[in-house]
Amino acid sequence: QLQLVESGGGLVQPGGSLRLSCAASGLSLDSFAIGWFRQTPGKEREGISCMSSTGSATNYVDSVKGRFTISRDNARNTMYLQMNSLKLDDTAVYYCAVDLRPRMAAISRCGLRIYDYDSWGQGTQVTVSS
């Protein structure tokens, strides 16, 4: 079965950048829609970005548009989230996720809802602080 291992989190100053990685094993990542989520204590997990299986469609929550970029490296079976111009409100645990449902919609669509995804990484802490 698919396993996802995240890395790249850490402490960064406001305005700084981080790139999160999510290495997949067990299944080829290029067959599925992928997503990134984040969660702060006391709040529900929030979908922030996703990409369809072919890369033809991406979505971003308004709060990260223009600052975050989702990408996929099929040769490495790894997905990434490049985070620029980080703000204090970006502090959260970040999770990668994969939609394992074998459906045609994943080719051209992706969702930012937690129930759209079946497999999750362990989470990596991102702390933005001055």
Side-chain angles (χ1 to χ4, degrees):
Q1 62 178 349
L2 178 66
Q3 293 201 71
L4 303 172
V5 179
E6 296 174 68
S7 62
L11 177 65
V12 64
Q13 296 185 41
S17 298
L18 285 174
R19 188 176 77 161
L20 305 183
S21 299
C22 179
S25 61
L27 293 172
S28 296
L29 199 58
D30 62 2
S31 298
F32 308 103
I34 58 174
W36 284 96
F37 291 72
R38 66 186 181 187
Q39 188 168 24
T40 301
K43 297 182 179 180
E44 66 180 8
R45 193 168 298 183
E46 175 191 28
I48 56 173
S49 185
C50 66
M51 176 182 284
S52 63
S53 61
T54 63
S56 63
T58 58
N59 289 312
Y60 296 90
V61 69
D62 286 344
S63 60
V64 308
K65 284 182 179 178
R67 300 189 299 119
F68 291 10
T69 303
I70 189 171
S71 63
R72 173 196 270 122
D73 186 336
N74 291 331
R76 293 183 170 85
N77 209 27
T78 300
M79 56 186 289
Y80 303 94
L81 184 69
Q82 178 67 46
M83 305 185 294
N84 298 327
S85 301
L86 284 161
K87 304 175 180 179
L88 296 180
D89 288 347
D90 294 321
T91 296
V93 177
Y94 284 72
Y95 299 87
C96 59
V98 177
D99 178 5
L100 296 176
R101 292 174 293 179
R103 56 193 180 97
M104 292 293 292
I107 296 173
S108 58
R109 293 166 51 194
C110 67
L112 296 175
R113 297 166 292 275
I114 191 169
Y115 50 79
D116 287 328
Y117 296 88
D118 308 289
S119 185
W120 296 84
Q122 82 282 2
T124 185
Q125 177 71 47
V126 172
T127 301
V128 184
S129 177
S130 59

